Amino acid sequence: MSTEKQVLSARQIGHVVSLIELNLHRPDEAIRQLEALTEAGEFTHAECYAIRMLLVLDHGDMVQALREASEGNEELELVRERLAHEARGIVEKG
């Protein structure tokens, strides 16, 4: 079994962030879309499994996991912009 760090492209990170946003309100639909993206070749089955696990993490752990999976600066910026906005919305509602 490989212990090599798995990274995601900006396109994949964009999909994951959209899935996270959808998962807040419609978790079943988020899983359906993840499976559709996997079948379309956007994610490997291993990535799909990892994303499923990501969707059940608390926000802080989720952000940290996405940062670790980011390929470079473009992906990190996407995580910062989109998930920071989402975190503010959660705090304001709470």
Side-chain angles (χ1 to χ4, degrees):
M1 175 181 261
S2 173
T3 59
E4 185 177 319
K5 180 181 166 186
Q6 192 169 17
V7 295
L8 300 174
S9 69
R11 179 182 173 103
Q12 289 174 311
I13 292 286
H15 287 312
V16 173
V17 173
S18 294
L19 290 167
I20 290 168
E21 292 166 346
L22 180 59
N23 191 59
L24 290 172
H25 306 288
R26 299 181 58 207
D28 291 341
E29 181 61 25
I31 295 300
R32 276 192 288 279
Q33 284 190 17
L34 172 59
E35 290 172 354
L37 287 165
T38 301
E39 290 304 313
E42 290 291 330
F43 299 109
T44 66
H45 288 287
E47 290 167 340
C48 178
Y49 177 78
I51 294 165
R52 281 176 168 266
M53 298 299 101
L54 179 79
L55 293 175
V56 299
L57 295 175
D58 68 43
H59 188 77
D61 291 339
M62 185 183 303
V63 170
Q64 182 60 36
L66 274 178
R67 284 182 179 154
E68 290 173 6
S70 295
E71 192 172 54
N73 291 334
E74 180 182 358
E75 294 80 9
L76 286 171
E77 188 61 31
L78 184 60
V79 170
R80 281 188 208 106
E81 286 176 8
R82 295 210 25 214
L83 289 183
H85 171 73
E86 192 64 38
R88 282 192 300 274
I90 291 169
V91 169
E92 290 170 3
K93 289 177 187 174

